[in-house]
Every structure is written in structure tokens, then in C-alpha cells.
Amino acid sequence: MSYCSSEEHTPISRSRKSSWLISKIDENEVDKEIQEMMDEWRRRDAEKSHVDLIQAALNYCRGQLKELLVDGEGEEEEGKSKPIDIISPEHEERDVLGNLVNCLDRQQKAARQQMYFDKIVQLGLERQALQDESGEPTHSTDECRAEGHEFVMQPVRGGHNPCCEVCMHTIWRLVQWWRRCRVCGMRAHDKCAEDVKRVCAGVLSTRSKFELNINLCEERSLAEQEYQCAECSAPICFDGTSEQEARLCDYSGELFCPNCHWNDTWSIPARIIHNLDATPRPICRAVKQLLSIVDHRPLIDINESTLSLIKFHKELRRVNELRRNFLLMKCYFVSCRTARRLRILQYLQSHSHFVDNAVMYSLKELRELCEGKLLPELEQIHTVFRKHIEEECETCAGNGFFCELCDDEESQENPKDKVLYPFTENTRSCATCLAVYHKKCFERKSLNCPRCERRRRRSEIPKTLTTSSSSDEKETAAGI
């Protein structure tokens, strides 16, 4: 006689079992338990605020939930060797009196775990609402410093639940305190912040001798790293479990474990400089944080690194030419009141170092150059600057030059009355006086700069007058 078909010897039916569980869960005895405890705490200490009572209830619920979870894991290990068969026809009595009771106990514990978890979320939201109304901080705002990190407490509410980069577990924002480094953005549980081992990328990038690696690194083998992660020394391999998977960092050429390498991608500086290849490649977490911090800093001198690349890359040559023109235009804007009033140099706000030198680039600018975004942007800015100097401002236009080396035969091709500027195309400047001439005229008569000649003559005039006056005085004295 099966359990399902039994009518006389069946103490508990399936419908009765389900209704009993549902009624037990619907009572939600955890709410009553917490409310009674809070009332008892309030009677014992009337000075406690409602926020303090909620915090005490939260701590109690977390402790109870932790105990239930530990007990559940122990029962699962014991149950692996003894599977449960609730409706086995051969062992009906044992099923009813034994396995069924155990199954109900487990379901009750699972329901109780869920009730504690729901209560923790409810109390957390209630505490957050009360603290928002009173204006009190949600938690201690003191910074936690470790290995150069400046961990700051984060709000409970927000978007998705991040991952702790120390213990590699999810940060449940509603029930767990967590911190974030204000410099590199590293995230960690409040309890894990002091156990961090990775040095802050902000500290590394501010050292006086810091330089980006601009050399292509060879991939290191597992034997060279002794089958250990390059950061945390955890065991790694290529044919093991997913927790031991070896992952390559293209920036350093080293191998890392999945905890230190999340398959983040970034453009590698060495590949951009040597090959103008900005394809994102996998890097470890430490390198990701470092490159994200220095992405806007002008740390790369591409002219010194690869002179041959400039000769064969047309866009790079044009960008270098525009940068030299910006430095020449800056001289006009500095002496122009209109340009200072309009703050025309703010067009280069995202590339502020362009008005200081013509050789340094940031990683972001080189990446945009490879993607074809940098040159059109600089061309537009160059057009605005040139229009102001040549057309809109009389002060800047008055600082132009006329080519004094032009002949009548070349007047049609290079008009003499055309105003030239140092940034005008097909022009050259005298290295001594900086006067501007047509390129062809300057190459033909560069040994005789009219402006330098006039300056030389003017400098000799006082010496001639002094010599003639002194000789007249000597003749007069001799005649007397």
C-alpha cells in the first residue's frame, strides 16, 4: 500500500502538509520576535533612539541568519550519503516518521532564513530613511587608509551590487557596509578594507620616477612564475579549474589568477607607440586602475620614441604641425585683449598641455588619434584660432608680415601684398628675427634676410657717429 493511496494509515496528507507550511510561513514569527525584542530593549534603556534599536535588531538578525546558514551547510554534507525519499512505497513508515519530518524541518529552516533576510532588508531601508530625515551620517565618515588607499564609506542606496576586490564576494548594498577608494576606485567591504594587499595605483602614479611601460613585453611562462599568480601568489595553471585559470596581462606580460585578473581590456601604450594599434587587450585589475588614472596625463613623448613612425603616418605629421601652430598662435592671444576677454584658449581645455609643448601626448589622445577622432577636433580648433587672427581681430592681424624677398616675376603666384603669419602654409621664418617669407623666396635668398640687414645697419649707425665726432675733436685740438 503506497503512501499516496493510503486512507486509514496516512497521518499527514500532502494537502495538509502544504497548508501547514503555508500557515506557518504566513504567521511570520520573525516579525513578532524582533518587535518583542525591540520593545524589551526600549523598556530597559529609554534613552536609546529608534535608529539604535534598529541597528541592534539588524545585528541580531544577521547573527541568527549566519547560524541558520552554518547549520544548513552541515545538514547538506550529512545528507549527501543518505538521500531522502519521501514517498518510497517500500519504507512507508520510515518515510512518514523519518524523512518527511527531516524534509519539513529543512523547509522550515529555509523559510526562516528567507524571513530573516527580508527583515534585514526592511530594517536597513527603515534605518536609511530615518537617517536621511535627521541628516545624520549613515555610518562613520572617517577614511580608512591602507596601502595608500583612501577608502570612503559609500551610501546604502544605489545601483547594482558591486564585488569586493579583497574577498571576491558580492557586496549587498542594503545589508552590508562598503567602502570605495577615492583615488583608484577600488571597492571593498568595510570589514575587508584593512586587509587589502594591492598598493593604490594613485600612489604609484605620483612617484617622481614613474613612467609608462612603452616596451612590448614578452609573455612569461608558468615555470618562470613558479605556477603562481604574479600578484597574490595563488596557484594557477592552464588545464585546471576555473578558480586556477592563468590569465595574461598584455601590459606586463605576466600571468594572474581570476581574482586579480577580471578580463578587463584597455589600449596598451607600447602597441600604440610602436604600431599605432589601439585595440583593447586584456589586462589585470592593478594595471586597469593604473591606466585609468593616467589616461589623461601627458606622459608619452612620441617624437622621441618613434621618429620613423612620424615619417610614414600622415595624420600624426598633421597633428604635430597643428600643435606647433598652436604654440605660435598662443603668442598672438597672450598680447591680445580681445582674445583674453573671449578666453579663446579654452577651446583647448581638454588638451591644455598643447599650449606648453608640442611633443607630449596622453594615452587618451593617442588612442583617439588611432581611432580617427583627434585630428578632426584639432582641425576645427585651428580654424577658429586662425579666423580670429586673420579676420576678426585687428590687433592680431596687424602683427602679420609681408614677404620682402618676392620678385616681380613671382608676384602672381605669391602676391607681395598678402599678409603672412608664422602658421601660414608654405612659409618659412628667419631663425634670427622670426620674420615670415614665402617658402620659395626664403629658400632662394635665405642668406640675405632684409630685416636682419636693417637691424645690423641700425646698430652700426651710433658707432659711426661716435667715431666721426671723436676725430673732429682731435683735428680741432691739433689746429689750435
Side-chain angles (χ1 to χ4, degrees), residues 143-151 166 181-184 186 192-207 231 289 293:
E143 292 184 359
C144 176
R145 297 178 178 270
E147 297 295 338
H149 296 276
E150 299 178 6
F151 287 109
V166 179
C181 178
R182 67 167 74 247
V183 181
C184 68
M186 187 177 184
C192 300
E194 297 181 355
D195 299 331
V196 64
K197 298 179 180 180
R198 183 187 306 160
V199 179
C200 181
V203 175
L204 298 177
S205 62
T206 54
R207 292 177 178 174
E231 181 177 344
Q289 294 170 357
I293 289 177

Side-chain angles (χ1 to χ4, degrees), residues 210-217 250-253 268-271 273 291:
F210 172 76
E211 293 181 356
L212 282 175
N213 182 18
I214 58 175
N215 298 319
L216 295 173
C217 296
D250 198 78
Y251 178 83
S252 62
I268 308 302
R271 297 188 182 275
I273 293 175
L291 294 182

Side-chain angles (χ1 to χ4, degrees), residues 3-161:
Y3 171 77
C4 295
S5 62
S6 174
E7 296 180 358
E8 299 178 358
H9 301 282
T10 304
I12 299 177
S13 64
R14 289 190 178 184
S15 60
R16 288 181 59 190
K17 179 194 70 172
S18 301
S19 62
W20 180 81
L21 282 176
I22 293 174
S23 62
K24 196 69 177 178
I25 294 174
D26 290 341
E27 291 178 0
N28 206 348
E29 57 189 20
V30 171
D31 285 340
K32 295 181 180 180
E33 177 185 354
I34 299 301
Q35 188 62 41
E36 292 176 358
M37 294 183 64
M38 293 179 66
D39 295 339
E40 180 66 23
W41 293 336
R42 189 180 291 107
R43 286 193 297 269
R44 291 180 181 178
D45 191 354
E47 297 181 355
K48 278 190 175 182
S49 63
H50 191 52
V51 177
D52 295 335
L53 294 176
I54 292 177
Q55 183 62 44
L58 276 171
N59 296 334
Y60 173 79
C61 290
R62 289 168 180 164
Q64 294 296 319
L65 180 60
K66 184 176 180 180
E67 292 180 1
L68 289 174
L69 293 174
V70 172
D71 294 341
E73 291 177 356
E75 291 181 0
E76 287 181 359
E77 293 179 357
E78 294 178 358
K80 288 181 181 179
S81 59
K82 299 179 180 180
I84 298 175
D85 187 7
I86 297 179
I87 56 175
S88 173
E90 299 179 357
H91 306 280
E92 177 184 353
E93 297 297 331
R94 183 178 58 83
D95 292 337
V96 174
L97 301 177
N99 289 346
L100 180 59
V101 175
N102 295 334
C103 180
L104 294 178
D105 290 341
R106 292 184 182 181
Q107 293 182 7
Q108 292 177 32
K109 288 183 178 180
R112 196 172 183 83
Q113 291 175 8
Q114 185 62 40
M115 285 189 287
Y116 275 120
F117 185 80
D118 294 341
K119 192 63 178 177
I120 290 173
V121 175
Q122 177 187 351
L123 292 174
L125 292 174
E126 185 178 354
R127 179 192 58 189
Q128 183 69 32
L130 293 174
Q131 291 176 340
D132 291 343
E133 292 177 0
S134 61
E136 296 179 0
T138 58
H139 199 265
S140 176
T141 57
D142 296 337
E143 292 184 359
C144 176
R145 297 178 178 270
E147 297 295 338
H149 296 276
E150 299 178 6
F151 287 109
V152 180
M153 190 64 65
Q154 298 299 304
V156 174
R157 296 178 180 176
H160 68 283
N161 295 315

